[in-house]
């Protein structure tokens, strides 16, 4: 198989304009004749569904929560990037593009990233017009901050609730279309399979999470905006319901899965406190603007932080990376935290933690200013840990946060199945091997507001659609398959709960395919995952029935897919014999422990094809070419 | 520590429900309320029974999924805290906690602690937005918004749509939720063109759902995990009163409320 990414020829600055001009348009009167399915109502899905509805398409949108407003995007805290250059500090579209390609460690597609940087500007305009209450200066203009390793202030924010406010903007636009009759919103519904007819995506099979009813929905195009798969690790900063099911089932129907092992570990999360822990809480990385990260110089230092004098503290990021200091990118910050903890210098009960200390910032700008900047984050920290971060340094540790991998898409955001489009975190995206802070919100909204309304239109205008309905043989066989899996899960009645399997799977994945990986460890992990998966299908217990609200059954289906995905992640990580971004292979590092990329051999997107249960997946490579940002070893010294 | 959880169990809306007592022996004070339910559910599942259904997603107090009454208080005893963020250190060994779903006619029960809150979405559909389609926006800085206004709008916009205000209100009124959206959009310059219509449409839809009326008791704001101030109700009243007074015959037709 060869992959055609459909990147427009010519200068990158004009690529998107040219692509749009070359696209065929759907006549306004014909738009309402096309129906489009959007699965997911996060930033990517809600913005896509609303925008397509506004254009006049008939849209059916699905989400598994009780309301589209609750999608995981709601939890994003820190902000959204845009190349507005309001602060006059040297920002430009090219710089945002450049930083994102470099930050992604040269594993993203240049043309996509350039378009993202271009669209960023209009996203802010759109959100402001919707009434998103971004932070303002006294004079009334929009204010910015620097975020997560950026040397310009390009991040827009709404207190510590940027994701919430952006999502509510998109949700409100969506609900407006619901009332206008262009969008039908179906919450509490989970997509469980993709229907492919004559080689094209034509519908989905869903389960009503309240009544258990399975349904077939047919459309002319299907858009998946179902978010990331960080919960494969069990413990992550993702919402509990975030899962891989939609994209995994599409993968099994023929969509290639790209770079599955590229996962992002966020350096600033609240450390694990016990076995019952159900998720990890992120402390926004904006905290690194004012907080200083340190550990004691001595091993196993049991003194409380205020008893450790200045010269016995190791501000290890400031020491190792003098020009970026505490603002190095996420992967670098995370790996360094792991390294100092592995040396035995970690803090807190478990020894898996480092200090994030605000005392100097409080002395410099006053507690009031710090409260204004981070008040809600400090409150959240105190609520969870019962410690007051205005007085005692926070304890933080890295946690799984974001997945750069996802379904492979071309420049039109179309997967390898024609008519199946993938947006937001669910695609393999524009972030290469490492995502910069405040750029996922930007990507989700760029995909949904500004890319997909064009590219779906082109697809619809250039194809004809044979009549199909729920009685079609492909639809019926997909439906039967879903019914069979559901019945199977309910019939095992073994001894272990779904969560206990999920925890164990998560631990294997974290230990061997987490912050540091080795070929041998990955091999071990593959064996362990297979064995555990086998046990799962013999010994899991799912109480209740398939005909009502059954949360164990929902989880059971998702964990079954996580098992298969975890194996592919390990295969991908083992195959990539280099370190890049969030993918750190211990065998490939420089003398001072930095990631060592291998551009000669690995400058490609690894896109995996499904070949059936128990079969080795098939690798197809999309070579990456860099014409504008010359690949260099990242250096944040 | 050991706790007894007395939990409302109900299979679905057509089967009657009842309280069931469960002993949970291994409660860690660091756990959240929902983690405590997870631990209980694991033991229930291992016995082959159906676990307690409860809604949750973010577990960070922002998605608005979670929420039930804990000893008669929506989201439990801690100020400005959702059930998912409520730490068990606020309870003591041997205590009994009563957990029951939001009780309101507008929120039909689905199972155990799970209710249907789609009435809140209907209120937003009626006008909780600024009608600006993708692509129509002017440059972001062309509309200055004073910091005080932006901050007040943000205070109101912080609502997570959990429904605790309705559950806490003896009248089961949704006026705090509705007022929060009317205030958020109605305070901003971008929201002015539709201010009157928004207030009229949203209030009409609120009335069409099975919510009760506001009699200024104030339980809503006390229960609200985001501390949405009572002021938003005053703003709702002001905007809808002004809109009613200004009604002209040539006013664009209002959106007829959908059946709740
Ligand atoms: C704690 C936290 C903080 C973050 N902060 C930032 C930040 O400051 N800046 C930034 O840029 N990024 C941030 N991110 C990342 C960012 O929030 C996400 O990458 C982004 O919101 C994902 O949006 P999405 O629309 O792709 O998916 P999501 O918001 O995850 O939405 C997925 C949707 O798909 C639906 N869905 C999923 N599976 C199915 C199925 N099978 N059937 C039906 N529906 C389904 C869900 O119901 C949901 O509606 C943060 C992430 C976390 C975890
Ligand atoms: S006003 Fe408060 S209590 Fe009511 S829905 Fe909003 S956040 Fe919940
Ligand atoms: S689970 Fe999201 S607010 Fe509680």
């Amino acid at each position: 198989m060869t992959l055609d990414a459909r990147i427009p020829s010519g200068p990158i600055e004009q690529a998107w304009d040219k692509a749009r001009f070359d696209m065929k348009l759907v006549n306004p009167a014909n738009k309402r004749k096309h129906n489009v399915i959007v699965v997911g109502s996060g930033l990517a899905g809600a913005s896509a569904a609303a925008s397509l509805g506004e254009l006049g398409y008939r849209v059916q949108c699905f989400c598994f929560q009780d309301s589209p407003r609750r999608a995981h995007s709601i939890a994003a805290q820190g902000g959204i990037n845009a190349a507005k250059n309001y602060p006059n500090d040297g920002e430009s579209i090219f710089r945002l593009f450049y930083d994102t390609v470099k930050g992604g460690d040269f594993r993203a597609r240049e043309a996509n990233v350039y378009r993202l940087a271009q669209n960023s500007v209009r996203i802010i305009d759109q959100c402001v017009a919707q009434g998103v209450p971004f932070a303002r200066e006294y004079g009334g203009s929009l204010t910015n901050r620097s975020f997560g390793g950026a040397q310009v202030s390009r991040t827009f924010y709404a207190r510590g609730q940027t994701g919430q406010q952006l999502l509510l903007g998109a949700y409100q636009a969506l609900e407006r279309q619901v009332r206008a009759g262009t969008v039908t919103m179906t919450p509490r519904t989970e997509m469980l399979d993709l229907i492919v007819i004559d080689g094209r995506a034509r519908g989905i099979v869903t389960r009503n999470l309240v009544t258990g009813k399975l349904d077939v929905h047919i459309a002319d195009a299907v858009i998946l905006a179902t978010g990331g798969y960080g919960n494969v690790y069990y413990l992550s900063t993702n919402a509990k319901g975030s899962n891989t099911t939609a994209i995994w089932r599409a993968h099994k129907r023929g969509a290639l899965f790209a770079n599955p092992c590229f996962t992002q570990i966020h350096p600033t999360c609240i450390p694990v406190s016990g076995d019952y822990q159900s998720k990890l809480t992120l402390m926004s990385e904006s905290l690194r603007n004012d907080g200083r990260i340190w550990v004691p110089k001595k091993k196993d230092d049991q003194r409380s932080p205020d008893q450790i004098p200045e010269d016995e503290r190791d501000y290890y990021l400031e020491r190792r990376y003098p020009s970026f200091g505490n603002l190095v990118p996420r992967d670098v910050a995370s790996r360094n935290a792991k390294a100092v903890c592995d040396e035995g210098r970690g803090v807190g009960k478990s020894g898996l933690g480092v200090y994030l200390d605000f005392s100097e910032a409080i002395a410099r700008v006053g507690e009031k200013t710090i409260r204004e900047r981070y008040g809600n984050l400090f409150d959240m920290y105190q609520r969870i840990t019962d410690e007051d971060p205005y007085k005692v340094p926070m304890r933080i540790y890295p946690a799984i946060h974001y997945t750069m991998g996802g379904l492979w898409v071309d420049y039109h955001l179309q997967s390898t199945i024609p008519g199946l489009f993938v947006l937001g975190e669910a695609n393999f995206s524009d972030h290469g091997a490492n995502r910069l802070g405040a750029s996922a919100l930007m990507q989700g909204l760029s995909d949904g507001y500004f890319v997909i309304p064009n590219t779906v239109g082109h697809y619809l205008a250039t194809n004809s659609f044979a009549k199909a309905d729920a009685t079609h043989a492909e639809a019926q066989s997909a439906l039967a398959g879903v019914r069979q899996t559901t019945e199977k899960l309910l019939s095992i009645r073994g001894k272990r709960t779904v969560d206990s399997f999920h925890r164990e799977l998560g631990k294997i994945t974290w230990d061997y395919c987490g912050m540091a990986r080795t070929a041998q460890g990955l091999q071990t992990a593959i064996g362990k995952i297979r064995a555990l998966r086998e046990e799962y299908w013999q010994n899991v217990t799912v109480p209740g029935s398939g005909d009502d609200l059954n949360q164990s059954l929902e989880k059971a289906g998702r964990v079954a897919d996580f098992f298969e995905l975890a194996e592919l992640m390990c295969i991908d990580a083992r195959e990539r014999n280099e370190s890049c971004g969030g993918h750190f292979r211990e065998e490939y590092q420089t003398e001072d422990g930095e990631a060592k990329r291998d551009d000669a051999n690995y400058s490609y997107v690894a896109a995996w094809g499904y070949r059936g249960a128990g079969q080795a997946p098939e690798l197809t490579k999309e070579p990456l070419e860099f014409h504008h940002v010359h690949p260099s070893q990242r250096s944040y010294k | 520590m050991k706790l007894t959880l007395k939990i409302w169990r109900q299979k679905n809306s057509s089967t009657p429900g009842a309280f069931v007592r469960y002993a949970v022996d291994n409660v860690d004070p660091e756990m959240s309320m929902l983690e405590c339910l997870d631990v209980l559910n694991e033991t229930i599942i291992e016995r082959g029974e159906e676990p307690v259904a409860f809604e949750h997603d973010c577990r960070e107090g922002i998605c608005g999924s979670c929420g039930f009454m804990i000893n008669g208080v929506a989201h439990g005893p801690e100020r400005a805290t959702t059930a998912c963020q409520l730490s068990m250190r606020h309870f003591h060994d041997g205590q009994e906690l009563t957990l029951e779903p939001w009780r309101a006619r507008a929120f039909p029960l689905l199972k155990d602690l799970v209710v249907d809150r789609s009435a809140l979405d209907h209120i937003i559909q009626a006008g909780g937005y600024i009608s600006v389609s993708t692509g129509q926006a002017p440059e972001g800085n062309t509309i200055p918004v004073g910091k005080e206004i932006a901050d007040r709008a943000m205070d109101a916009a912080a609502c997570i749509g959990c429904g605790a205000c309705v559950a806490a209100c003896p009248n089961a009124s949704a006026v705090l939720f509705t007022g929060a959206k009317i205030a958020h959009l109605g305070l901003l310059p971008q929201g002015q063109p539709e201010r009157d219509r928004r207030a009229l449409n949203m209030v009409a839809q609120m009335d069409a759902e099975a919510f009760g009326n506001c009699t200024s008791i104030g339980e809503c704001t006390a229960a609200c995990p985001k501390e949405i101030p009572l002021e938003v109700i005053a703003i709702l009243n002001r905007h809808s009163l002004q809109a009613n007074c200004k009604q002209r015959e040539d006013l664009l037709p209002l959106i007829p409320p959908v059946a709740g």
Side-chain angles (χ1 to χ4, degrees):
Chain A
M1 175 169 215
T2 51
L3 291 168
D4 176 10
R6 289 199 277 175
I7 300 168
S9 56
I12 199 166
E13 294 82 0
Q14 282 142 39
W16 180 227
D17 276 350
K18 176 174 184 308
R20 278 189 299 164
F21 182 72
D22 290 343
M23 283 179 208
K24 296 280 174 291
L25 302 173
V26 180
N27 174 316
N30 282 341
K31 289 204 173 89
R32 71 183 132 77
K33 296 187 186 147
H34 290 290
N35 62 336
V36 178
I37 286 173
V38 179
V39 188
S41 65
L43 284 175
S47 59
S51 305
L52 292 170
E54 287 159 5
L55 286 171
Y57 295 107
R58 282 183 292 125
V59 180
Q60 278 174 284
C61 184
F62 300 85
C63 72
F64 65 74
Q65 292 92 347
D66 68 319
S67 162
R69 67 180 291 152
R70 309 207 198 280
H72 163 61
S73 295
I74 201 96
Q77 301 171 348
I80 176 166
N81 286 335
K84 282 286 197 188
N85 193 26
Y86 289 151
N88 196 25
D89 59 357
E91 170 68 328
S92 63
I93 287 173
F94 198 89
R95 187 180 294 281
L96 176 55
F97 155 70
Y98 180 96
D99 286 358
T100 308
V101 172
K102 179 181 170 214
D105 221 359
F106 305 95
R107 292 294 173 263
R109 206 186 273 150
E110 278 191 338
N112 284 52
V113 180
Y114 197 88
R115 174 178 67 190
L116 176 64
Q118 284 175 309
N119 285 344
S120 69
V121 175
R122 298 187 71 201
I123 293 172
I124 299 303
D125 299 341
Q126 187 65 34
C127 297
V128 168
Q130 290 170 345
V132 169
F134 284 119
R136 300 272 173 171
E137 305 288 350
Y138 283 104
S141 51
L142 291 152
T143 189
N144 295 108
R145 65 182 170 205
S146 143
F147 191 76
Q151 289 185 311
V152 291
S153 291
R154 60 161 71 105
T155 304
F156 293 76
Y157 61 100
R159 290 201 190 137
Q161 291 122 277
T162 316
Q164 177 196 30
Q165 294 310 315
L166 296 174
L167 182 61
L168 291 181
Y171 154 77
Q172 288 163 198
L174 172 70
E175 294 293 19
R176 173 172 162 247
Q177 292 310 304
V178 169
R179 190 51 85 90
T182 60
V183 178
T184 318
M185 182 69 223
T186 315
R188 291 196 195 274
T189 304
E190 184 160 28
M191 164 184 164
L192 293 177
D193 206 353
L194 179 75
I195 298 167
V196 181
I197 297 177
D198 299 333
R200 285 188 281 165
R202 288 300 302 274
I204 60 173
V205 178
T206 59
R207 178 169 182 272
N208 178 318
L209 299 182
V210 179
T211 64
K213 187 163 177 293
L214 301 180
D215 286 304
V216 165
H217 306 269
I218 299 289
D220 297 337
V222 177
I223 296 172
L224 301 186
T226 49
Y229 52 86
N231 278 347
V232 63
Y233 293 89
Y234 188 72
L235 286 181
S236 84
T237 61
N238 289 9
K240 288 293 284 178
S242 298
N243 68 87
T244 190
T245 290
I247 58 170
W248 189 256
R249 308 249 168 131
H251 172 60
K252 291 172 91 167
R253 291 272 170 205
L256 298 199
F257 205 120
N259 299 335
C261 81
F262 285 175
T263 52
Q264 178 164 76
I265 310 219
H266 197 291
T268 53
C269 302
I270 302 181
V272 174
S273 68
D275 296 337
Y276 50 80
Q277 188 103 19
S278 60
K279 75 156 284 174
L280 296 169
T281 302
L282 175 74
M283 288 283 102
S284 167
E285 127 178 273
S286 59
L287 293 169
R288 287 201 275 147
N289 286 344
D290 283 303
R292 297 179 70 198
I293 295 177
W294 63 276
V295 290
K297 284 189 178 159
K298 262 198 338 219
K299 275 189 191 177
D300 299 320
D301 195 331
Q302 299 297 326
R303 290 175 292 177
S304 70
D306 57 326
Q307 296 301 314
I308 303 179
E310 240 353 85
D311 61 347
E312 293 180 39
R313 300 176 175 192
D314 180 11
Y315 294 89
Y316 56 90
L317 290 178
E318 296 171 22
R319 172 171 59 80
R320 296 194 60 189
Y321 308 95
S323 72
F324 279 71
N326 294 299
L327 292 177
V328 291
R330 294 176 172 175
D331 53 336
V332 179
S334 296
R335 260 196 311 277
N336 277 278
K338 179 178 186 306
V340 294
C341 292
D342 288 350
E343 287 165 22
R345 297 194 287 142
V347 302
K349 257 190 285 181
S350 63
L352 294 176
V354 300
Y355 289 125
L356 178 61
D357 195 336
F358 291 88
S359 52
E360 196 218 56
I362 291 174
R364 181 164 35 89
V365 297
E367 186 172 317
K368 183 157 174 286
T369 307
I370 293 296
R371 194 177 296 276
E372 235 162 57
R373 285 184 194 159
Y374 314 109
N376 65 325
L377 295 170
F378 278 42
D379 290 349
M380 174 139 85
Y381 182 84
Q382 182 158 17
R383 209 173 289 133
I384 293 175
T385 62
D386 211 21
E387 288 173 2
D388 178 0
Y390 293 100
K391 304 212 168 71
V392 191
M394 284 185 180
R395 283 174 296 109
I396 53 163
Y397 197 67
I400 289 290
H401 176 58
Y402 182 87
T403 50
M404 281 76 69
L407 292 187
W408 185 89
V409 288
D410 62 14
Y411 189 72
H412 288 228
L413 304 181
Q414 182 173 263
S415 71
T416 50
I417 302 177
L420 178 70
F421 296 80
V422 192
L423 321 185
E425 195 173 338
N427 70 24
F428 86 105
S429 87
D430 306 344
H431 310 293
N434 173 54
R435 176 174 71 78
L436 290 183
S439 55
L441 303 182
M442 167 172 77
Q443 182 225 332
L445 291 179
S446 167
D447 290 358
Y449 283 134
F450 298 115
V451 179
I452 203 69
N454 295 288
T455 58
V456 156
H458 175 69
Y459 174 77
L460 295 172
T462 48
N463 284 283
S464 58
F465 298 89
K467 253 192 110 45
D469 62 22
T471 59
H472 194 283
E474 294 292 347
Q476 285 301 314
S477 90
L479 185 69
V482 168
R483 183 165 295 128
Q484 208 181 357
T485 311
T486 308
E487 281 164 7
K488 169 86 182 130
L489 285 166
L490 285 164
S491 69
I492 301 169
R493 304 276 161 184
K495 295 215 157 33
R496 284 183 68 180
T497 64
V498 175
D499 273 356
S500 88
F501 278 103
H502 193 179
R503 263 204 194 87
E504 190 173 338
L505 170 68
K507 180 143 184 358
I508 298 171
T509 321
W510 174 249
D511 286 348
Y512 297 101
C513 196
M515 263 194 285
R517 304 150 177 196
T518 63
Q520 204 193 352
L522 290 161
Q523 195 53 45
T524 311
I526 292 170
K528 284 178 183 246
I529 292 168
R530 283 188 189 151
L532 190 65
R533 182 172 67 221
E534 207 139 292
E535 188 195 336
Y536 185 74
W537 286 102
Q538 307 290 329
N539 195 25
V540 73
T541 182
V542 183
S545 83
D547 329 315
D548 68 351
L549 200 161
N550 185 339
Q551 293 172 323
S552 309
L553 178 62
E554 293 164 28
K555 280 198 262 191
R558 294 173 191 163
V559 172
D561 295 330
F562 278 140
F563 269 113
E564 297 181 12
L565 168 64
E567 182 172 337
L568 184 65
M569 287 167 64
C570 293
I571 292 173
D572 183 43
R574 187 188 55 183
E575 199 276 338
R576 194 171 274 281
N577 292 311
E578 64 163 349
S579 294
C580 59
H583 170 66
F584 190 72
R585 281 278 301 273
E586 287 181 359
E587 306 97 313
Y588 307 100
Q589 52 181 309
T590 62
E591 268 167 22
D592 48 358
E594 302 296 339
K596 201 154 117 196
R597 255 190 7 248
D598 178 355
D599 290 335
N601 295 304
Y602 290 93
S603 186
Y604 61 72
V605 175
W608 298 92
Y610 184 77
R611 281 203 295 204
Q615 303 289 314
E618 180 182 17
L619 174 62
T620 307
K621 299 173 184 175
E622 181 202 336
L624 291 168
E625 286 167 27
F626 294 90
H627 300 291
H628 299 85
V629 189
H630 187 66
S632 55
Q633 205 68 37
R634 285 190 309 164
S635 169
Y636 294 94
K637 297 262 169 192
Chain B
M1 59 188 183
K2 295 184 183 193
L3 291 177
T4 304
L5 301 183
K6 186 177 142 197
I7 305 176
W8 184 261
R9 301 301 311 261
Q10 185 169 348
K11 194 167 166 45
N12 52 42
S13 53
S14 48
T15 319
F19 280 110
V20 178
R21 274 201 173 70
Y22 299 93
V24 193
D25 292 343
N26 43 351
V27 180
D28 188 305
E30 302 272 304
M31 281 179 185
S32 71
M33 183 73 235
L34 301 192
E35 284 170 341
C36 183
L37 281 178
D38 290 341
V39 169
L40 169 66
N41 276 342
E42 288 289 286
T43 62
I44 297 181
I45 297 170
E46 279 162 6
R47 288 202 300 268
E49 295 162 28
E50 279 201 65
V52 180
F54 64 92
E55 206 126 38
H56 66 103
D57 200 23
C58 73
R59 297 202 174 196
E60 291 191 2
I62 192 76
C63 73
S65 296
C66 70
F68 38 81
M69 306 301 275
I70 305 170
N71 287 347
V73 182
H75 287 299
E78 276 298 285
R79 192 187 56 85
T81 303
T82 51
C84 59
Q85 291 209 296
L86 178 64
S87 156
M88 297 312 284
R89 72 175 81 87
H90 299 296
F91 302 108
H92 58 79
D93 191 35
Q95 201 172 345
E96 174 168 296
L97 306 182
T98 305
L99 312 185
E100 55 184 322
W102 294 159
R103 306 263 190 213
R105 198 146 54 88
F107 292 164
L109 187 135
L110 297 176
K111 185 173 189 171
D112 297 341
L113 303 176
V114 180
V115 299
D116 179 357
R117 290 169 289 192
S118 34
L120 300 181
D121 285 331
H122 300 159
I123 295 175
I124 301 297
Q125 283 157 18
Y129 43 75
I130 288 169
S131 300
V132 51
S133 296
T134 305
Q136 291 178 328
E139 206 286 329
N141 258 342
T142 44
I143 316 163
V145 182
K147 185 169 179 338
E148 297 84 350
I149 292 292
D151 283 347
R152 277 176 67 202
M154 181 63 219
D155 288 341
C159 164
I160 57 174
C162 63
C165 46
V166 177
C169 174
N171 306 325
S173 164
V175 77
L176 193 71
F177 168 84
T178 312
K181 192 46 64 192
I182 288 178
H184 159 210
L185 299 174
L187 285 168
L188 291 170
Q190 303 94 300
Q192 295 316 305
E194 291 173 293
R195 198 180 106 161
D196 293 353
R197 287 172 56 71
R198 178 182 310 115
L200 293 175
N201 283 327
M202 290 182 74
V203 170
Q205 184 62 44
M206 181 179 80
D207 291 341
E209 305 286 343
F211 295 111
N213 286 322
C214 175
T215 52
S216 302
I217 298 170
E219 287 287 345
C220 51
T221 188
C224 174
K226 297 296 142 182
E227 304 189 291
I228 301 296
L230 277 182
E231 185 203 15
V232 301
I233 302 180
I235 294 175
L236 173 147
N237 286 331
R238 190 161 65 242
H239 288 192
S240 43
L241 188 69
Q242 285 173 345
N244 272 313
C245 296
K246 284 195 286 187
Q247 281 234 35
R248 292 166 38 141
E249 274 169 26
D250 57 355
L251 183 86
L252 289 170
L254 294 177
I255 305 182
V258 293

